Amino acid sequence: MSLAEMLATITIAALGVGVTVPSVSTMLKTRKLSMAARDLALELQRARMEAVAKGSYVGVLFDRSGGRDRWRLHRDGGTRGIHSSEIRSGDDPPIGPPFDLAARYPGIRLGIAASGSPKIPPSPGTLSPTDDPVAFSGSDIFSASPTGESSTGTLYLTDGADMRGVVVYGPTGRIRIWRYEGTTGRWR
């Protein structure tokens, strides 16, 4: 093989790597966002299963303080249901350690993408980056009852550009993960 042929081969290989690396990077970023949404959905399902198994309310408190996104399961120990004041007082004790989103998935956070998005169908309207990504009727607590019913609401995860929406349909406890496609401007 001549020097010219070798240089041509190296150039073609370098171009191939140059095209492949960005697509692999995008794929890994998308996968991390999807995995974070699945972990969140599993935690909500776990809360529901714990509530039915223990015969008492179980909730997930979402804590967005200090620039960190965390959540933690709590068992009802006070008045009926999970309440912020009873979590603070210790009446609704924690179940296990908190889940730190940034520690598990760096670059992923509870939030709306920088460009905003339409709301998940069938809801009308749009979301802006300043909207609350934890939407359980104005609360930061997802609650599951001993009968298997749960709060209705939506949680939004983003890496700054792409988004995932975790929607909980309360009476049935069904959870669906939606993926926002920025290129089409649609949720799937």
Side-chain angles (χ1 to χ4, degrees):
M1 180 182 276
S2 71
L3 180 60
E5 290 171 330
M6 190 181 303
L7 287 174
T9 303
I10 291 172
T11 301
I12 291 170
L15 285 173
V17 169
V19 170
T20 304
V21 169
S23 64
V24 169
S25 173
T26 301
M27 181 184 73
L28 290 174
K29 190 173 165 185
T30 299
R31 181 173 160 84
K32 186 167 54 168
L33 186 56
S34 294
M35 287 172 50
R38 275 194 297 274
D39 271 359
L40 178 51
L42 286 170
E43 198 74 355
L44 298 176
Q45 283 291 6
R46 178 177 164 227
R48 188 169 173 252
M49 288 186 292
E50 290 269 347
V52 171
K54 294 191 184 315
S56 67
Y57 283 84
V58 172
V60 180
L61 172 67
F62 293 90
D63 178 10
R64 302 190 64 231
S65 62
R68 309 265 322 178
D69 293 325
R70 296 187 264 318
W71 58 80
R72 190 174 203 176
L73 270 69
H74 289 268
R75 182 180 46 80
D76 184 22
T79 60
R80 185 174 169 213
I82 305 294
H83 304 282
S84 296
S85 60
E86 291 177 352
I87 289 172
R88 281 192 301 275
S89 72
D91 288 338
D92 290 346
I95 301 172
F99 184 101
D100 188 330
L101 185 61
R104 183 78 145 310
Y105 299 105
I108 306 297
R109 62 182 175 80
L110 289 168
I112 311 299
S115 61
S117 78
K119 289 186 178 181
I120 293 175
S123 298
T126 58
L127 296 165
S128 77
T130 58
D131 287 337
D132 189 356
V134 179
F136 286 105
S137 302
S139 174
D140 284 343
I141 299 174
F142 164 83
S143 182
S145 78
T147 60
E149 294 179 29
S150 65
S151 305
T152 296
T154 305
L155 298 152
Y156 295 98
L157 294 164
T158 186
D159 59 9
D162 293 325
M163 289 175 56
R164 297 294 179 272
V166 178
V167 179
V168 183
Y169 303 95
T172 63
R174 181 174 174 250
I175 297 174
R176 179 170 178 193
I177 298 174
W178 290 77
R179 180 182 59 172
Y180 179 67
E181 296 176 345
T183 55
T184 63
R186 293 172 35 165
W187 286 95
R188 296 204 187 279

